[in-house]
mmCIF file of all heavy atoms in Angstrom:
data_model
loop_
_atom_site.group_PDB
_atom_site.id
_atom_site.type_symbol
_atom_site.label_atom_id
_atom_site.label_comp_id
_atom_site.label_asym_id
_atom_site.label_seq_id
_atom_site.Cartn_x
_atom_site.Cartn_y
_atom_site.Cartn_z
ATOM 1 N N ASN A 264 -32.821 14.652 -20.438
ATOM 2 C CA ASN A 264 -33.604 15.385 -19.421
ATOM 3 C C ASN A 264 -33.539 14.628 -18.045
ATOM 4 O O ASN A 264 -33.338 15.231 -17.012
ATOM 5 C CB ASN A 264 -34.991 15.461 -19.854
ATOM 6 C CG ASN A 264 -35.296 16.678 -20.818
ATOM 7 O OD1 ASN A 264 -34.685 17.728 -20.544
ATOM 8 N ND2 ASN A 264 -35.964 16.540 -21.908
ATOM 9 N N ARG A 265 -33.654 13.317 -18.126
ATOM 10 C CA ARG A 265 -33.564 12.599 -16.759
ATOM 11 C C ARG A 265 -32.105 12.811 -16.143
ATOM 12 O O ARG A 265 -32.014 13.021 -14.874
ATOM 13 C CB ARG A 265 -33.841 11.027 -17.033
ATOM 14 C CG ARG A 265 -35.230 10.707 -17.300
ATOM 15 C CD ARG A 265 -35.363 9.282 -17.176
ATOM 16 N NE ARG A 265 -34.515 8.459 -17.902
ATOM 17 C CZ ARG A 265 -35.005 7.998 -19.233
ATOM 18 N NH1 ARG A 265 -36.170 8.364 -19.649
ATOM 19 N NH2 ARG A 265 -34.121 7.314 -19.994
ATOM 20 N N LEU A 266 -31.090 12.799 -16.944
ATOM 21 C CA LEU A 266 -29.707 13.041 -16.558
ATOM 22 C C LEU A 266 -29.546 14.337 -15.817
ATOM 23 O O LEU A 266 -29.026 14.472 -14.721
ATOM 24 C CB LEU A 266 -28.756 12.857 -17.548
ATOM 25 C CG LEU A 266 -28.078 11.346 -17.620
ATOM 26 C CD1 LEU A 266 -27.159 11.272 -18.826
ATOM 27 C CD2 LEU A 266 -27.273 10.987 -16.329
ATOM 28 N N ILE A 267 -29.970 15.337 -16.612
ATOM 29 C CA ILE A 267 -29.825 16.807 -16.092
ATOM 30 C C ILE A 267 -30.580 16.976 -14.861
ATOM 31 O O ILE A 267 -30.330 18.034 -14.071
ATOM 32 C CB ILE A 267 -30.071 17.684 -17.154
ATOM 33 C CG1 ILE A 267 -29.399 19.087 -17.047
ATOM 34 C CG2 ILE A 267 -31.650 17.869 -17.366
ATOM 35 C CD1 ILE A 267 -27.847 19.092 -16.937
ATOM 36 N N GLN A 268 -31.571 16.229 -14.585
ATOM 37 C CA GLN A 268 -32.494 16.389 -13.428
ATOM 38 C C GLN A 268 -31.906 15.681 -12.229
ATOM 39 O O GLN A 268 -31.820 16.190 -11.072
ATOM 40 C CB GLN A 268 -33.868 15.900 -13.639
ATOM 41 C CG GLN A 268 -34.663 16.855 -14.600
ATOM 42 C CD GLN A 268 -35.971 16.312 -14.991
ATOM 43 O OE1 GLN A 268 -36.428 15.298 -14.457
ATOM 44 N NE2 GLN A 268 -36.566 16.855 -16.041
ATOM 45 N N ASN A 269 -31.367 14.418 -12.389
ATOM 46 C CA ASN A 269 -30.915 13.654 -11.242
ATOM 47 C C ASN A 269 -29.367 13.715 -10.958
ATOM 48 O O ASN A 269 -29.009 13.522 -9.880
ATOM 49 C CB ASN A 269 -31.389 12.153 -11.229
ATOM 50 C CG ASN A 269 -30.772 11.458 -12.527
ATOM 51 O OD1 ASN A 269 -29.575 11.470 -12.650
ATOM 52 N ND2 ASN A 269 -31.630 10.878 -13.384
ATOM 53 N N LEU A 270 -28.600 13.939 -11.985
ATOM 54 C CA LEU A 270 -27.174 13.948 -11.835
ATOM 55 C C LEU A 270 -26.721 15.062 -10.789
ATOM 56 O O LEU A 270 -25.850 14.727 -10.036
ATOM 57 C CB LEU A 270 -26.365 13.944 -13.113
ATOM 58 C CG LEU A 270 -24.897 13.448 -13.089
ATOM 59 C CD1 LEU A 270 -24.834 12.021 -12.434
ATOM 60 C CD2 LEU A 270 -24.385 13.474 -14.525
ATOM 61 N N PRO A 271 -27.148 16.307 -10.916
ATOM 62 C CA PRO A 271 -26.740 17.257 -10.000
ATOM 63 C C PRO A 271 -26.862 16.843 -8.498
ATOM 64 O O PRO A 271 -26.047 17.273 -7.689
ATOM 65 C CB PRO A 271 -27.597 18.427 -10.414
ATOM 66 C CG PRO A 271 -27.829 18.194 -11.874
ATOM 67 C CD PRO A 271 -28.028 16.812 -11.977
ATOM 68 N N HIS A 272 -27.889 16.207 -8.256
ATOM 69 C CA HIS A 272 -28.256 15.762 -6.803
ATOM 70 C C HIS A 272 -27.143 14.773 -6.341
ATOM 71 O O HIS A 272 -26.643 14.851 -5.306
ATOM 72 C CB HIS A 272 -29.628 15.092 -6.688
ATOM 73 C CG HIS A 272 -30.579 16.066 -7.108
ATOM 74 N ND1 HIS A 272 -30.901 17.159 -6.215
ATOM 75 C CD2 HIS A 272 -31.620 16.026 -8.010
ATOM 76 C CE1 HIS A 272 -31.935 17.861 -6.821
ATOM 77 N NE2 HIS A 272 -32.446 17.175 -7.944
ATOM 78 N N TRP A 273 -26.752 13.877 -7.326
ATOM 79 C CA TRP A 273 -25.586 12.868 -7.028
ATOM 80 C C TRP A 273 -24.357 13.664 -6.803
ATOM 81 O O TRP A 273 -23.618 13.370 -5.819
ATOM 82 C CB TRP A 273 -25.532 11.859 -8.224
ATOM 83 C CG TRP A 273 -24.523 10.843 -7.790
ATOM 84 C CD1 TRP A 273 -24.773 9.573 -7.388
ATOM 85 C CD2 TRP A 273 -23.103 10.859 -7.950
ATOM 86 N NE1 TRP A 273 -23.719 8.843 -7.194
ATOM 87 C CE2 TRP A 273 -22.546 9.676 -7.570
ATOM 88 C CE3 TRP A 273 -22.227 11.871 -8.454
ATOM 89 C CZ2 TRP A 273 -21.285 9.313 -7.656
ATOM 90 C CZ3 TRP A 273 -20.949 11.502 -8.433
ATOM 91 C CH2 TRP A 273 -20.451 10.300 -8.075
ATOM 92 N N VAL A 274 -23.976 14.649 -7.597
ATOM 93 C CA VAL A 274 -22.831 15.478 -7.461
ATOM 94 C C VAL A 274 -22.748 16.167 -6.161
ATOM 95 O O VAL A 274 -21.827 16.086 -5.456
ATOM 96 C CB VAL A 274 -22.680 16.511 -8.596
ATOM 97 C CG1 VAL A 274 -21.417 17.315 -8.418
ATOM 98 C CG2 VAL A 274 -22.425 15.546 -9.922
ATOM 99 N N GLU A 275 -23.896 16.648 -5.739
ATOM 100 C CA GLU A 275 -23.888 17.482 -4.546
ATOM 101 C C GLU A 275 -23.876 16.509 -3.318
ATOM 102 O O GLU A 275 -23.063 16.860 -2.253
ATOM 103 C CB GLU A 275 -25.215 18.188 -4.326
ATOM 104 C CG GLU A 275 -25.272 19.218 -3.312
ATOM 105 C CD GLU A 275 -26.266 20.306 -3.387
ATOM 106 O OE1 GLU A 275 -26.998 20.333 -4.386
ATOM 107 O OE2 GLU A 275 -26.547 21.049 -2.389
ATOM 108 N N LYS A 276 -24.385 15.379 -3.347
ATOM 109 C CA LYS A 276 -24.484 14.465 -2.186
ATOM 110 C C LYS A 276 -23.107 13.784 -2.083
ATOM 111 O O LYS A 276 -22.556 13.599 -0.978
ATOM 112 C CB LYS A 276 -25.585 13.354 -2.374
ATOM 113 C CG LYS A 276 -25.662 12.465 -1.111
ATOM 114 C CD LYS A 276 -26.826 11.468 -1.396
ATOM 115 C CE LYS A 276 -26.876 10.416 -0.305
ATOM 116 N NZ LYS A 276 -28.030 9.608 -0.543
ATOM 117 N N ARG A 277 -22.515 13.361 -3.193
ATOM 118 C CA ARG A 277 -21.424 12.459 -3.002
ATOM 119 C C ARG A 277 -20.129 13.134 -3.140
ATOM 120 O O ARG A 277 -19.024 12.874 -2.632
ATOM 121 C CB ARG A 277 -21.377 11.397 -4.198
ATOM 122 C CG ARG A 277 -22.373 10.362 -3.998
ATOM 123 C CD ARG A 277 -22.188 9.536 -2.846
ATOM 124 N NE ARG A 277 -20.868 8.858 -3.089
ATOM 125 C CZ ARG A 277 -20.704 7.677 -3.745
ATOM 126 N NH1 ARG A 277 -21.718 7.095 -4.438
ATOM 127 N NH2 ARG A 277 -19.490 7.139 -3.774
ATOM 128 N N LEU A 278 -20.072 14.330 -3.964
ATOM 129 C CA LEU A 278 -18.834 15.121 -4.123
ATOM 130 C C LEU A 278 -18.881 16.458 -3.344
ATOM 131 O O LEU A 278 -17.916 17.170 -3.236
ATOM 132 C CB LEU A 278 -18.652 15.370 -5.589
ATOM 133 C CG LEU A 278 -18.500 14.177 -6.582
ATOM 134 C CD1 LEU A 278 -18.300 14.665 -7.925
ATOM 135 C CD2 LEU A 278 -17.266 13.288 -6.081
ATOM 136 N N ARG A 279 -20.023 16.730 -2.780
ATOM 137 C CA ARG A 279 -20.184 18.000 -2.056
ATOM 138 C C ARG A 279 -19.836 19.192 -2.918
ATOM 139 O O ARG A 279 -19.254 20.267 -2.475
ATOM 140 C CB ARG A 279 -19.155 18.084 -0.842
ATOM 141 C CG ARG A 279 -19.376 16.940 0.106
ATOM 142 C CD ARG A 279 -20.509 17.067 1.129
ATOM 143 N NE ARG A 279 -20.574 16.058 2.070
ATOM 144 C CZ ARG A 279 -19.957 16.012 3.242
ATOM 145 N NH1 ARG A 279 -19.209 17.079 3.498
ATOM 146 N NH2 ARG A 279 -20.096 15.074 4.000
ATOM 147 N N LEU A 280 -20.310 19.102 -4.186
ATOM 148 C CA LEU A 280 -19.979 20.191 -5.183
ATOM 149 C C LEU A 280 -21.395 20.480 -5.794
ATOM 150 O O LEU A 280 -22.343 19.814 -5.802
ATOM 151 C CB LEU A 280 -19.204 19.695 -6.318
ATOM 152 C CG LEU A 280 -17.685 19.301 -5.957
ATOM 153 C CD1 LEU A 280 -17.076 18.682 -7.130
ATOM 154 C CD2 LEU A 280 -16.993 20.453 -5.531
ATOM 155 N N LYS A 281 -21.454 21.716 -6.401
ATOM 156 C CA LYS A 281 -22.744 22.199 -6.993
ATOM 157 C C LYS A 281 -22.585 22.237 -8.436
ATOM 158 O O LYS A 281 -21.514 22.680 -8.959
ATOM 159 C CB LYS A 281 -23.162 23.511 -6.348
ATOM 160 C CG LYS A 281 -23.590 23.537 -5.006
ATOM 161 C CD LYS A 281 -24.094 24.776 -4.547
ATOM 162 C CE LYS A 281 -24.675 24.850 -3.074
ATOM 163 N NZ LYS A 281 -25.217 26.088 -2.596
ATOM 164 N N VAL A 282 -23.633 21.935 -9.166
ATOM 165 C CA VAL A 282 -23.660 22.050 -10.658
ATOM 166 C C VAL A 282 -24.211 23.405 -10.998
ATOM 167 O O VAL A 282 -25.340 23.751 -10.414
ATOM 168 C CB VAL A 282 -24.484 20.862 -11.274
ATOM 169 C CG1 VAL A 282 -24.670 21.190 -12.727
ATOM 170 C CG2 VAL A 282 -23.770 19.621 -11.121
ATOM 171 N N ASN A 283 -23.501 24.135 -11.749
ATOM 172 C CA ASN A 283 -24.021 25.427 -12.132
ATOM 173 C C ASN A 283 -25.278 25.272 -13.123
ATOM 174 O O ASN A 283 -24.974 25.027 -14.308
ATOM 175 C CB ASN A 283 -22.921 26.298 -12.780
ATOM 176 C CG ASN A 283 -23.319 27.729 -12.960
ATOM 177 O OD1 ASN A 283 -24.391 28.071 -13.348
ATOM 178 N ND2 ASN A 283 -22.290 28.586 -12.913
ATOM 179 N N ALA A 284 -26.489 25.656 -12.723
ATOM 180 C CA ALA A 284 -27.589 25.333 -13.536
ATOM 181 C C ALA A 284 -27.721 26.362 -14.644
ATOM 182 O O ALA A 284 -28.183 25.870 -15.678
ATOM 183 C CB ALA A 284 -28.868 25.504 -12.553
ATOM 184 N N SER A 285 -27.175 27.482 -14.548
ATOM 185 C CA SER A 285 -27.263 28.353 -15.650
ATOM 186 C C SER A 285 -26.194 28.073 -16.750
ATOM 187 O O SER A 285 -26.516 28.448 -17.973
ATOM 188 C CB SER A 285 -26.974 29.883 -15.128
ATOM 189 O OG SER A 285 -25.613 29.953 -14.664
ATOM 190 N N LYS A 286 -25.184 27.352 -16.587
ATOM 191 C CA LYS A 286 -24.227 27.053 -17.492
ATOM 192 C C LYS A 286 -24.329 25.482 -17.943
ATOM 193 O O LYS A 286 -23.788 25.169 -19.073
ATOM 194 C CB LYS A 286 -22.672 27.304 -16.955
ATOM 195 C CG LYS A 286 -22.433 28.737 -16.842
ATOM 196 C CD LYS A 286 -20.985 28.952 -16.434
ATOM 197 C CE LYS A 286 -20.627 30.283 -16.107
ATOM 198 N NZ LYS A 286 -19.309 30.561 -15.699
ATOM 199 N N SER A 287 -25.068 24.719 -17.227
ATOM 200 C CA SER A 287 -25.212 23.410 -17.569
ATOM 201 C C SER A 287 -26.527 23.156 -18.445
ATOM 202 O O SER A 287 -27.267 24.188 -18.490
ATOM 203 C CB SER A 287 -25.381 22.484 -16.470
ATOM 204 O OG SER A 287 -24.255 22.486 -15.617
#
Side-chain angles (χ1 to χ4, degrees):
N264 275 316
R265 283 198 301 272
L266 264 176
I267 200 66
Q268 289 171 12
N269 64 53
L270 199 56
H272 298 296
W273 186 94
V274 169
E275 189 165 353
K276 182 180 179 181
R277 294 291 303 276
L278 301 179
R279 306 278 184 88
L280 298 170
K281 289 186 178 181
V282 171
N283 189 326
S285 63
K286 293 183 179 179
S287 300

